[in-house]
């Protein structure tokens, strides 16, 4: 019996979110290595815009997930494995919601926030205390994201290379043999 898969939309949003996350970090690294000026502003705008995009994708993913239950774990997965996967996913969702919110609070602290130069999202009145708190939470969540993604990828590698149980197939489109 073939393994049950996530829906096509859930798969697409998963991989689009992963791609966006792979761009977010290099964008801010590049921005940090330029002196103040238009090039630095461009890379921060790209980072902030991708962060807003991740926030929207995660909201869409959660909405979709609440309306379409994820496929059940295979019976071969131990209870601890299911628990670890569920906890990792829940924490990833939480951190991927908190990070864009704190990033928006930092970027919009006294100014509007451009979104891919397509539109300008309203910022907030300048509040140094809130800006500092948002910055602190953002930085700590950054390390949480690194750790959670490392756990997620390690779990995937374990299922693919050690268990060889087809778990990754749940997040991939069906393969058609010639």
């Amino acid at each position: 019996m073939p393994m049950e898969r996530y829906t096509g939309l859930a798969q697409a949003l998963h991989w689009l979110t992963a791609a966006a996350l792979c761009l977010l970090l290099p964008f801010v690294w590049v921005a940090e290595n330029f002196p103040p000026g238009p090039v630095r502003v461009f890379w921060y705008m790209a980072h902030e815009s991708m962060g807003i995009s991740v926030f929207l994708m995660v909201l869409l993913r959660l909405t979709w997930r609440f309306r379409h239950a994820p496929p059940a774990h295979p019976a071969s997965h131990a209870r601890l494995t299911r628990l670890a996967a569920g906890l990792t996913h829940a924490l990833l969702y939480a951190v991927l919601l908190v990070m864009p919110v704190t990033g928006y609070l930092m970027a919009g602290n006294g100014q509007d926030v451009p979104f891919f130069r397509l539109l300008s999202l309203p910022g907030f009145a300048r509040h140094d205390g809130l800006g500092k708190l948002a910055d602190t939470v953002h930085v700590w969540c950054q390390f949480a994201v690194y750790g959670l993604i490392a756990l997620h990828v390690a779990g995937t590698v374990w299922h693919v290379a050690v268990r060889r149980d087809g778990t990754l197939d749940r997040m991939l489109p069906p393969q058609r043999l010639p």
Side-chain angles (χ1 to χ4, degrees):
M1 182 171 133
M3 187 174 292
E4 192 179 353
R5 296 174 186 275
Y6 284 87
T7 65
L9 181 60
Q11 291 176 11
L13 288 170
H14 172 272
W15 294 109
L16 285 170
T17 302
L21 290 171
C22 288
L23 293 173
L24 268 170
L25 190 57
F27 285 175
V28 79
W29 283 346
V30 169
E32 287 290 323
N33 285 293
F34 276 95
V39 173
R40 185 178 185 141
V41 168
F42 169 81
W43 286 107
Y44 268 119
M45 182 273 309
H47 174 77
E48 293 159 2
S49 297
M50 290 303 291
I52 293 166
S53 299
V54 166
F55 181 74
L56 295 173
M57 283 187 277
V58 170
L59 286 178
L60 184 56
R61 287 180 71 180
L62 286 171
T63 301
W64 185 257
R65 188 171 182 141
F66 283 126
R67 298 179 141 252
H68 301 84
H73 288 275
S76 63
H77 288 186
R79 185 173 184 268
L80 184 59
T81 300
R82 292 191 306 269
L83 182 64
L87 183 61
T88 301
H89 286 117
L91 290 172
L92 261 172
Y93 279 122
V95 171
L96 292 178
L97 290 172
V98 170
M99 285 213 55
V101 169
T102 57
Y104 193 83
L105 289 172
M106 290 163 43
N109 192 6
Q111 62 188 15
D112 289 347
V113 180
F115 182 66
F116 291 116
R117 294 189 179 164
L118 299 173
L119 59 117
S120 192
L121 303 171
F124 305 94
R126 184 156 186 84
H127 189 286
D128 291 335
L130 181 60
K132 279 186 176 261
L133 176 63
D135 182 58
T136 300
V137 172
H138 197 75
V139 168
W140 280 103
C141 283
Q142 166 191 339
F143 294 110
V145 166
Y146 295 158
L148 291 166
I149 289 174
L151 280 173
H152 187 63
V153 170
T156 303
V157 169
W158 182 69
H159 280 289
V160 170
V162 177
R163 295 282 314 262
R164 298 179 186 212
D165 60 8
T167 298
L168 177 61
D169 294 342
R170 294 160 29 112
M171 194 48 79
L172 297 173
Q175 306 299 305
R176 294 192 173 84
L177 298 174

